[in-house]
Amino acid sequence: LTINTTMYYYLVAPISVVRADEPAFTYQSESELQVGMIVVVPVGKKKLVGVITSPTKKPSFTTKSIEQILVEKPLPTPLVSLAGWMSDYYATHLALVFQTILPTGLSKKRRDSKGVPVHATRNRTNIVLKTEQQAAIKAITEHPSGTLLLHGVPGSGKTQVYIEAARHELAAGKSSIVLVPEIALTPQLVAEFMNHFPRVVVTHSHMTEAERHKAWLEVMTADETVIIVGPRSALFMPVPDLGLIVIDEAHEPSYKQDQSPRYSALRTASVLAKLHKAKVVLGSATPSISDYYLAEQTKSSIIKLTKPAVATEKPSVELIDLRSKELFREHRFLSDALLTRMREALHADQQVLLFHNRRGTAPTTLCTNCGWSSLCETCFVPMTLHADKHQLLCHICGRNHRVPPSCPECGNPSIVFRGIGTKMIEDEVRKAFPKANIARFDADNTADQTLDKRYQEIYDGHIDIMIGTQILAKGLDVPRLSVVGVMQADNGLHLPDYQAEERVFQLLYQVAGRVGRGKHESHVVVQTFLPDHATIKHALERDYDSFYQEQLGERKRGNFPPFTYLLKLTTSYKTEAGAIRAARTMATKLRGAYPHLTIQGPTPAFYERMHGNYRWQLLIKSKKRAELAVIADSMPVGWQVDLDAANLL
């Protein structure tokens, strides 16, 4: 008696790197399986989790069997295709891509854990949509597929547009993914969506592994449509029928992952949407220069919301010159005007937000008399102080100068190299306002003091004064906020990065947009050493178009994106000599192989010392991204590769 057993063969990609040059291996199965199934396979003496990427023919060599199926349902086909695209596009091993896409601890046995509580509430009823909002919703719902840019001023009701677009997709039997740039903004958006939809699934990295796994399984096994809210990684939730991806505050740098695979959530979302025949909405009051230029060039839809959704009092803006000592009689860095506005707000039982852009507090050279800062003649970016060598150095091309003893512009010896920190601001504000409830939000917060944990307190008005960094500028809805103080608006303008001015413009525009959302009077007090700087003026006048045109000219002149593609290569060694030698050797090799490309450096990385190592980098520019992908793919071990580098720091 012969038993005829049909054997099926599949390529399985383990989610751990087995061989650098092989992403997938052939395994056999007695039963027919589907692409996207998550399985356990033997690799040597280990058992590894893997994903079936495709069926294949019986090979000439003997094969091992797939040992276990971990989840009964396969990953949606578009998600498997997306993993392959990410591996190619970002020159990253497929195993690392699947580690990013799948939750950790897939093979663990888990007890049934409770759902994730969402502690955020809203009292929003009878929302009447304005004409512009209705037009935006119509444009999104009638758009067949692809990317749309929703360019709306702060308070113009972008969230309501997202909600109505998601409602339209649900009616058509399709799910939506809504991305936020920060975990801190998740409760705010979840609360808005839960007012309208019964089923909102939340996922983010502050949840435990078990909670994230439960949320993932809930989506994986769902029989009905869902709405998913979370930061960048929520994009990879296994939604079978996706109709809409919303990327809120789409200009934010946190949408670019800074570990391998160094993917852009915007670019990846557009590919995922294409695979699902879905649409992507990029929402922002300050779209990135490159995204806006791309939308114009490709004739993509740009939808504008130019007016606030609710009739509001426009905030008054006061520009305070930090060089003028008579404006700081009460305190050395809190101006008299800012202290007066803070007292008025607290007396009226309203809230104050003090914003400090800490990103610019690296040692930079600035004249406190005339505002001069040292610029590289070649790269048009500020030069950085290297105190050990007493030199100013350009971190892009390597040009260096001695530190001038006095300002080359005005001759004044008052050159400074430092800034203040949020902790110092908090200490001084506590002295000035001992009875106020003060909260600081920055990277040093403990787990229970983060913005997402305390957001409801802010929304309900229990915190009087908020002090913080970029996180406070990002789309926060604080109804009782009446004063925003910017400690030093020009912080960040002096960073050696082609996007430094764009980032400052976005932060100032956004943080000033936190007020002027209610019927009460509101004030923005901006302290700066550079009151006449075009970037600061454009941001406070909310003049995106003028800023965009000026920056586009600068980018063209310096040959930066959107007019070219960038590849940043960084090497790290225990000794400075080792890092310099490796960087110079690589630069010589690449210049020989690609004489037509612009290869800048080697130079020390902006953060030259990290984890006890010295870091040096090369910057390569090309009109053809494919060329850079080939170089990225060929880099030896020990080099950090960043294709489409989000910044040069």
Side-chain angles (χ1 to χ4, degrees), residues 75-107:
L75 288 171
T77 309
L79 204 51
V80 180
S81 304
L82 183 75
W85 173 82
M86 285 174 72
S87 177
D88 290 342
Y89 195 77
Y90 293 108
T92 306
H93 198 288
L94 189 58
L96 296 178
V97 175
F98 275 124
Q99 282 174 25
T100 301
I101 285 177
L102 296 171
T104 49
L106 266 173
S107 53

Side-chain angles (χ1 to χ4, degrees), residues 481-495:
L481 185 67
S482 70
V483 172
V484 164
V486 179
M487 303 311 297
Q488 190 187 327
D490 46 277
N491 254 355
L493 285 175
H494 312 296
L495 286 171

